[in-house]
Amino acid sequence: MKLQGTMQINDKGHLEIGGCDTVELAENFGTPLYVLDEQYFRQNCRRYYRAFTEKYDGVVLYAAKTLLTLAVCRMVDEEGLSLDVVSGGELYTAKKARFPMERVYFHGNNKSAAELKLALDYKVGRVMVDNPHELQMLDRLAGEAGVQAKIMLRLTPGVEAHTHEYIKTGQIDSKFGMVIENGQAMEIIKRALALEHIRLTGLHCHIGSQIFELQSYAHAAEVMLGFAAEVRRETGWQPEEMNFGGGMGIYYTAADEPQSVSKFADTLAQAVKNLAPQYGLAAPKVLVEPGRSVSGPAGTTLYTVGAVKNIPGIRTYVAVDGGMGDNPRPALYQSRYEALLANRAAQQPQEMVSIAGKCCESGDMLIWDIDLPAPAPGDILAVSSTGAYNYSMSMNYNRLPRPAMVLVKDGAADIIVARETYDDLIRNDVVPERFNEGRVAKIAGAGR
């Protein structure tokens, strides 16, 4: 496993993160356990701030969907980034964390009236409008509130990044945004410009996730600016700002070759700066929405090894006390991860095994075919690059409580998400009163 951030192997031969021995973390907080490297998370925020904001006066929005807690909101705010939220729940979390609402941008392809009212009430910086229905609803709600809503329109530019089929969002056939090629985008722009309670400030696109080919972003800039020139010719309006989404790829396994944030910024911002005059436009402010590349590498998940089952000549299954409940990505996307035995981190691999989750589901496999020292019950398995989409997508399948999360730095570990209990699992369950009445009647009848 590649050591990232503050990871190192200490003199006990244990994996250490943020100055904390991960074996001790497992003993003190239990497993499964999400471990977030605070120094590395902040470092990733700073890379984006320096590359886009300091160098190009751009705006960096942290994509909350990748990992959002009250503590994460505080760190993002302290590092000077803005926030991209996609639901009323994420918006509420930001508000409770006292995140500056003028730096919040509200996404989503099917926002409810209640969510839009909340956004207006909180005075978010921008609403990223996805479709005509939302546009009309927002105009009505803003009128009722006596305000003018600042919006950006999400478009689909027809740029297909090389990534997993389920996480490509820039192509024409997508549930997100309005298509440029067929005239839908031009139509919604004209509608937005005509509405009294809407102020259109810019355009948005997102071409996919886990992207390593930076020229995909340059191509998106060319398409978006070319379209903006058409809009200016037809309406006289041009975008003050242009948001190119996120999608920067990170290291999960040796097959991944991430690009530097500075190279990403130079590729995109220079493309916008050079192309805008060619299309007769003033260069718009560049916005980006990194999420995975901020939180992903900063996260590690610890598990305790249970049963080890060898099928001679076939495979050795190593079962851990978590799985698709805390990390559904392998089941959803066939995602691959690296791992090591945290309590034997200095030992060389001895055999190829496969890591199985504990859910009652044959597809609950965390890692197929990984070389490790021969695992035994009680070993602590550390899976790297689990900071993005793991906690966010976690679930209670099989009524498994979701893990705790600790933030580690300088030898200190702080709980930022408490471990769920069995009581948490039934907290929202309700038994109809008539069931109790029937039970009383049955007991009374049995006593006759």
Side-chain angles (χ1 to χ4, degrees):
M1 183 177 90
K2 178 182 177 181
L3 301 184
Q4 304 185 74
T6 63
M7 285 182 176
Q8 62 178 8
I9 299 174
N10 64 23
D11 54 10
K12 296 180 181 178
H14 296 174
L15 176 66
E16 189 175 283
I17 306 173
C20 296
D21 187 316
T22 55
V23 177
E24 294 178 6
L25 290 176
E27 291 172 354
N28 294 335
F29 297 102
T31 57
L33 181 68
Y34 297 119
V35 180
L36 190 63
D37 183 341
E38 179 177 347
Q39 181 176 315
Y40 199 20
F41 183 95
R42 289 181 181 273
Q43 180 180 316
N44 292 336
C45 290
R46 290 168 191 171
R47 285 194 181 106
Y48 272 99
Y49 188 85
R50 287 194 296 265
F52 280 94
T53 303
E54 291 184 352
K55 188 171 183 179
Y56 292 106
D57 192 33
V59 178
V60 181
L61 320 175
Y62 171 69
K65 67 177 181 175
T66 58
L67 174 65
L68 190 68
T69 71
L70 295 175
V72 166
C73 278
R74 293 288 187 89
M75 290 192 291
V76 171
D77 180 21
E78 289 172 3
E79 297 303 330
L81 303 193
S82 296
L83 195 65
D84 149 20
V85 301
V86 299
S87 72
E90 289 185 352
L91 181 56
Y92 182 78
T93 303
K95 182 69 171 177
K96 285 296 181 180
R98 300 195 297 276
F99 197 94
M101 287 295 111
E102 68 275 10
R103 285 172 27 216
V104 172
Y105 292 63
F106 189 20
H107 271 283
N109 71 301
N110 190 30
K111 305 178 191 71
S112 68
E115 287 175 320
L116 290 175
K117 286 179 181 177
L118 196 64
L120 292 171
D121 182 51
Y122 287 174
K123 298 180 174 59
V124 300
R126 301 284 186 279
V127 176
M128 320 299 272
V129 171
D130 187 89
N131 53 68
H133 168 71
E134 180 187 337
L135 179 64
Q136 294 298 139
M137 182 165 53
L138 181 60
D139 179 61
R140 175 177 58 79
L141 294 171
E144 292 172 357
V147 299
Q148 187 176 54
K150 292 182 179 179
I151 73 163
M152 299 181 76
L153 289 171
R154 180 160 182 170
L155 310 182
T156 50
V159 177
E160 294 192 30
H162 288 205
T163 184
H164 190 282
E165 179 182 353
Y166 297 151
I167 50 179
K168 290 191 298 188
T169 56
Q171 74 275 20
I172 290 173
D173 186 4
S174 171
K175 77 173 190 177
F176 297 105
M178 302 297 293
V179 177
I180 291 175
E181 188 175 297
N182 64 8
Q184 289 180 329
M186 182 69 77
E187 181 181 345
I188 196 172
I189 287 173
K190 290 178 179 178
R191 284 194 198 182
L193 292 172
L195 294 173
E196 180 182 356
H197 305 291
I198 295 294
R199 184 187 162 212
L200 178 61
T201 66
L203 304 175
H204 172 280
C205 72
H206 178 70
I207 60 175
S209 297
Q210 194 60 358
I211 298 167
F212 300 115
E213 297 179 1
L214 296 182
Q215 284 305 309
S216 298
Y217 292 102
H219 180 46
E222 184 175 6
V223 172
M224 293 291 283
L225 287 164
F227 174 65
E230 292 180 28
V231 173
R232 185 183 181 186
R233 285 193 294 270
E234 288 201 26
T235 68
W237 176 86
Q238 62 177 314
E240 304 166 29
E241 50 195 7
M242 198 166 280
N243 188 329
F244 293 92
M248 271 278 285
I250 68 168
Y251 182 94
Y252 284 107
T253 71
D256 299 322
E257 298 180 2
Q259 301 290 329
S260 71
V261 173
S262 60
K263 188 174 180 181
F264 171 35
D266 290 342
T267 299
L268 177 56
Q270 287 295 336
V272 172
K273 181 179 178 181
N274 295 335
L275 287 167
Q278 296 178 30
Y279 287 110
L281 300 169
K285 183 181 286 288
V286 172
L287 284 68
V288 290
E289 299 168 340
R292 183 197 312 267
S293 53
V294 173
S295 63
T300 302
T301 307
L302 304 180
Y303 303 94
T304 300
V305 173
V308 178
K309 182 176 76 172
N310 176 253
I311 305 175
I314 304 295
R315 188 182 306 278
T316 296
Y317 287 93
V318 177
V320 295
D321 57 352
M324 65 188 293
D326 59 81
N327 182 6
R329 294 188 68 253
L332 285 174
Y333 305 132
Q334 296 78 54
S335 301
R336 297 186 63 83
Y337 289 89
E338 290 184 344
L340 55 70
L341 295 180
N343 56 313
R344 293 193 275 148
Q347 293 184 16
Q348 295 300 309
Q350 294 173 290
E351 63 177 300
M352 179 179 288
V353 300
S354 291
I355 309 300
K358 70 174 292 173
C359 283
C360 190
E361 195 72 45
S362 59
D364 183 17
M365 295 294 299
L366 282 174
I367 305 175
W368 291 99
D369 301 336
I370 183 173
D371 293 324
L372 291 174
D379 280 337
I380 303 300
L381 184 79
V383 179
S384 60
S385 297
T386 60
Y389 298 107
N390 291 45
Y391 169 69
S392 293
M393 300 175 76
S394 62
M395 57 184 170
N396 295 125
Y397 184 51
N398 289 173
R399 287 256 152 161
L400 293 174
R402 280 175 286 204
M405 184 183 300
V406 293
L407 188 67
V408 294
K409 183 184 181 185
D410 299 332
D414 296 293
I415 286 278
I416 60 172
V417 176
R419 184 176 303 281
E420 287 184 339
T421 66
Y422 288 151
D423 281 337
D424 290 326
L425 296 178
I426 64 170
R427 188 177 306 279
N428 295 320
D429 287 9
V430 178
V431 177
E433 186 58 35
R434 59 188 174 83
F435 284 21
N436 295 328
E437 293 169 358
R439 186 167 182 267
V440 170
K442 184 176 180 180
I443 293 173
R448 291 194 186 96

